[in-house]
């Protein structure tokens, strides 16, 4: 029997104080870090008939974070038991990291918000203006003209009568003149018709908008995130620019087109009647049919007075001009009054104007002897009489 530190008497021999002092001060008695491995757990490993670790030194060298055990291919919760007896689940699949610039693609037509306008300025593919006459009509007219001329020739040979042949020739000439007139005037008549087209009226009180229909909006334009600059004019903030380079060449010294390009970006337009603001998504690869007034700059064959921009334009497009050069440039600046014809979309409370999937038609105009003209893409109509002043918006 011996007395402990609290004053109580307990049976048995008194403990060896020197031995306890050596065990507490010795570093070899420190339990090794097992890392969750039962082979290094001593008594726990012997309970499951698992051989112990070879040495404490190896345990200390292999200490570190717990390795994640791979789950067993068998099904059931028992298959997820690790060596340490913990329930572990399958490793979560890593989230795909977005590529550089993918946030810009999120504002496309698929589901982009109206407030996100991150499409850069790109080269605008030009839409075409063509006559809305079916090919079958051309075939029928050609067959009828051939039959009329043939009948006139037959009557002339058989009965020596020239009147039917003259009438048939006059009718064929009249039809040919109408087709030639339409082919020559189709672009000018399309611009005239769309300029005279009345604007779409938006009900400001009830907020009803013709979503999904073709609308015409006229008002002041403002630049988006990527304003453009003109090549040969002092216009730094533009929403659309176009350049056409002509050269006088050949035996007839006629002007021939050598280069043409157009650039456009997304911009905003405010309806002058209702005050509503719309995002025009023109800089996302849509077809553009511009109807704007161009300004002409002429250079002689010696290129005297040629600006640095002209030399840069010719060098970047690998153009070599030996004769006289004429440049036609058109643009729509910030603050200008312009018109847009396209399909109206709506995203939450924001209005968006996109290029229509089909073509816009002018309709038949019998008084002007014009067939319907089909214009593809988003139609941009500039001011008919643009001024030289620059407005800060």
């Amino acid at each position: 029997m011996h007395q402990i530190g609290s004053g109580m008497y307990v049976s048995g021999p008194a403990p060896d104080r020197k031995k306890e002092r050596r065990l507490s001060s010795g570093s070899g008695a420190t339990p090794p870090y097992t890392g969750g491995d039962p082979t290094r757990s001593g008594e726990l490993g012997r309970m499951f008939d698992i051989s112990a670790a070879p040495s404490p030194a190896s345990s200390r060298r292999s200490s570190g974070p717990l390795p994640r055990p791979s789950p067993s291919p068998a099904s059931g919760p028992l298959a997820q038991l690790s060596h340490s007896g913990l329930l572990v689940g399958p490793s979560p699949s890593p989230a795909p990291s977005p590529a550089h610039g993918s946030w810009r693609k999120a504002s496309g037509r698929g589901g982009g918000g109206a407030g996100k306008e991150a499409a850069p300025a790109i080269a605008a593919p030009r839409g075409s203006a063509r006559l809305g006459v079916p090919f079958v009509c051309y075939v029928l007219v050609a067959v009828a003209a051939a039959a009329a001329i043939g009948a006139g020739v037959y009557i002339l040979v058989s009965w020596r009568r020239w009147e039917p042949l003259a009438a048939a020739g006059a009718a064929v000439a009249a039809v040919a003149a109408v087709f030639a007139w339409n082919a020559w005037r189709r672009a000018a008549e399309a611009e005239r018709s769309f300029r005279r087209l009345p604007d779409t009226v938006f009900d400001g009180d009830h907020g009803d908008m013709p979503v999904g229909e073709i609308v015409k909006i006229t008002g002041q334009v403002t630049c988006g995130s990527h304003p453009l600059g003109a090549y040969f004019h002092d216009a730094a903030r533009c929403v659309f620019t176009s350049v056409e380079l002509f050269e006088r060449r050949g035996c007839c010294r006629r002007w021939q087109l050598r280069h043409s390009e157009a650039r456009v970006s997304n911009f905003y337009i405010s309806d002058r009647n209702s005050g509503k603001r719309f995002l025009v998504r023109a800089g996302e690869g849509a077809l553009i049919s511009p109807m704007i007034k161009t300004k002409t700059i002429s250079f002689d064959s010696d290129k005297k007075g040629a600006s640095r921009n002209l030399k840069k334009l010719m060098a970047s497009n690998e153009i070599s001009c030996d004769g006289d050069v004429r440049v036609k440039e058109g643009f729509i600046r910030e603050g200008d009054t312009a018109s847009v014809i396209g399909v109206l979309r709506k995203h939450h409370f924001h209005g968006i104007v996109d290029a229509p999937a089909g073509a816009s038609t002018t309709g038949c105009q019998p008084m002007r002897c014009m067939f319907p003209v089909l214009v593809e893409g988003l139609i941009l109509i500039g001011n008919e009489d643009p001024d030289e002043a620059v407005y800060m918006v």
Side-chain angles (χ1 to χ4, degrees), residues 302-322:
D302 297 334
K303 307 296 184 298
K304 294 181 179 179
S307 64
R308 183 184 307 173
N309 293 329
L310 175 62
K311 298 177 182 178
K312 182 180 179 180
L313 177 65
M314 296 174 62
S316 60
N317 295 278
E318 300 180 355
I319 302 174
S320 177
C321 299
D322 299 329

Side-chain angles (χ1 to χ4, degrees), residues 26 43 65-66 76 81 122 134 141 200 210 213 231 237 241 257-258 297 308 345 391:
E43 296 294 335
L66 288 173
L81 282 173
I122 62 174
V141 169
T200 303
E213 300 180 6
Y231 277 104
R237 296 183 61 84
T241 62
L257 180 64
R258 294 294 307 278
I297 304 175
R308 183 184 307 173
R345 310 289 185 190
Y391 298 94

Side-chain angles (χ1 to χ4, degrees), residues 73-319:
S75 60
L78 293 179
Q80 300 179 3
L81 282 173
S82 65
H83 291 290
S84 59
L86 298 176
L87 285 172
V88 294
S91 300
S93 58
S97 58
H100 178 68
S102 61
W103 62 273
R104 296 177 181 269
K105 299 178 183 179
S107 60
R109 285 192 175 88
K116 297 180 180 179
E117 190 273 317
I122 62 174
R126 292 290 189 97
S128 61
R130 66 181 188 276
L131 294 177
V133 179
F135 180 74
V136 178
C137 294
Y138 290 100
V139 175
L140 293 178
V141 169
V143 171
I149 295 296
V153 172
Y154 177 77
I155 294 174
L156 178 63
V157 173
S158 300
W159 290 284
R160 305 296 180 183
R161 299 289 300 271
W162 56 271
E163 291 87 355
L165 180 60
V172 171
V175 173
V178 171
F179 275 96
W181 167 261
N182 279 263
W184 178 50
R185 292 286 302 174
R186 66 177 183 271
E189 288 296 327
E191 181 176 350
R192 173 186 174 275
S193 177
F194 285 123
R195 284 186 181 274
R196 295 167 61 92
L197 185 71
D199 297 338
T200 303
V201 178
F202 299 98
D203 191 355
D205 297 334
H206 300 84
D208 296 334
M209 300 174 64
V211 178
E213 300 180 6
I214 295 181
V215 297
K216 179 184 179 183
I217 303 173
T218 302
Q220 284 190 337
V221 298
T222 53
C223 295
S225 303
H226 301 273
L228 307 175
Y231 277 104
F232 305 97
H233 294 84
D234 187 13
R237 296 183 61 84
C238 301
V239 301
F240 174 84
T241 62
S242 65
V243 175
E244 293 179 343
L245 180 64
F246 297 86
E247 181 185 9
R248 189 192 296 272
R249 59 190 304 181
C251 57
C252 299
R253 303 291 294 170
R254 298 175 56 186
W255 290 105
Q256 298 182 9
L257 180 64
R258 294 294 307 278
H259 176 71
S260 176
E261 70 175 37
R263 297 178 300 157
V264 67
S265 64
N266 293 356
F267 62 93
Y268 297 92
I269 185 169
S270 300
D271 184 36
R272 61 183 177 184
N273 298 319
S274 63
K276 294 180 180 292
R277 194 169 187 239
F278 299 88
L279 168 64
V280 182
R281 293 196 289 198
E284 300 183 9
L287 291 176
I288 303 296
S289 294
M291 300 177 181
I292 60 178
K293 301 299 181 181
T294 59
K295 301 179 181 180
T296 304
I297 304 175
S298 299
F299 303 94
D300 55 12
S301 57
D302 297 334
K303 307 296 184 298
K304 294 181 179 179
S307 64
R308 183 184 307 173
N309 293 329
L310 175 62
K311 298 177 182 178
K312 182 180 179 180
L313 177 65
M314 296 174 62
S316 60
N317 295 278
E318 300 180 355
I319 302 174

Side-chain angles (χ1 to χ4, degrees), residues 38-59:
T39 60
R40 305 173 185 171
S41 302
E43 296 294 335
L44 180 61
R46 285 193 292 272
M47 290 173 59
F48 291 96
D49 296 331
I50 301 175
S51 58
S55 64
S58 62
S59 300

